[in-house]
Amino acid sequence: MLMACLKKDLKRLYDYSGSKRRNVSALSVGFAIFNPRFLPVMLFRFSYALCRNKCRILAKFCSILNYCWFGLEIAMHCEIGPGLVLPHTIGTVIGANRIGENATILSGVVVGARSVDYSYQKNERPSIGNNVFLGAGAKILGGIEIGDNVVVGANSVVVKSIDGHQVVAGVPAKTIRNSEDLMVV
């Protein structure tokens, strides 16, 4: 399961970057450890898998490596579907309840509770759908729902649930157009 997820993550990164690679093998996942766009995703996947298997010390170690090396903090309890792309990680904090497949999250994004929540109450954290693009500096806060195929504009602050197929922007974020005619990558 972990390898299948990593292959989908790497394939999506290749697609996103315009690479012509068709197949992703376990060997290519292994070599991708040297890719600074993929290693943070790999460390998160290891952290999440270790946490689910009750290896909390090793899970925390992977999480700390991500924080120290890439400026990326992802809660090891956060469920994120395959196809995760993190083009730039610095200043990104992800503490969602869950994030669906094919999420693209740019730098400086914060996804989490509206107030300090060290006990990780899932109902206080956002749930985000599939094929979502979170622009640089976006903030998604509280126990809200973000639907599928949503684009959140750069530096937007989302504090209310958003239906699917929307492009939102602003502070607070408001729908600026329908995203059904956009291809969210």
Side-chain angles (χ1 to χ4, degrees):
M1 169 119 168
L2 176 60
M3 182 55 74
C5 193
L6 287 168
K7 285 180 180 180
K8 287 180 182 177
D9 292 333
L10 186 56
K11 174 70 169 113
R12 185 142 182 280
L13 178 63
Y14 286 158
D15 292 346
Y16 193 81
S17 64
S19 173
K20 302 289 186 219
R21 296 181 190 208
R22 298 279 184 238
N23 297 319
V24 174
S25 66
L27 185 60
S28 59
V29 169
F31 280 117
I33 194 168
F34 300 107
N35 183 329
R37 305 279 181 258
F38 186 69
L39 182 55
V41 173
M42 185 182 283
L43 285 170
F44 162 70
R45 296 291 183 205
F46 289 158
S47 177
Y48 180 75
L50 289 164
C51 183
R52 288 187 49 93
N53 287 301
K54 309 222 185 311
C55 298
R56 292 185 52 83
I57 292 173
L58 290 175
K60 192 67 170 172
F61 179 73
C62 290
S63 185
I64 288 170
L65 286 178
N66 242 347
Y67 182 74
C68 292
W69 288 349
F70 298 103
L72 172 66
E73 186 175 348
I74 303 180
M76 51 190 192
H77 302 289
C78 183
E79 176 186 346
I80 302 177
L84 175 63
V85 173
L86 299 164
H88 304 285
T89 59
I90 301 299
T92 301
V93 179
I94 303 172
N97 175 24
R98 66 169 179 74
I99 298 175
E101 296 182 8
N102 300 325
T104 303
I105 302 172
L106 301 186
S107 65
V109 169
V110 174
V111 179
R114 287 188 193 178
S115 60
V116 177
D117 176 28
Y118 289 120
S119 62
Y120 206 84
Q121 300 298 311
K122 290 190 176 239
N123 63 329
E124 297 293 323
R125 295 167 178 277
S127 293
I128 299 175
N130 299 320
N131 306 310
V132 172
F133 181 93
L134 306 180
K139 311 298 183 243
I140 296 91
L141 304 172
I144 61 175
E145 298 274 335
I146 305 293
D148 294 342
N149 304 303
V150 169
V151 175
V152 178
N155 296 314
S156 297
V157 178
V158 181
V159 293
K160 293 183 180 176
S161 292
I162 305 291
D163 292 333
H165 302 281
Q166 303 294 314
V167 177
V168 300
V171 180
K174 293 181 177 27
T175 299
I176 60 171
R177 70 184 279 192
N178 190 306
S179 71
E180 288 181 351
D181 56 336
L182 295 177
M183 184 179 94
V184 180
V185 288

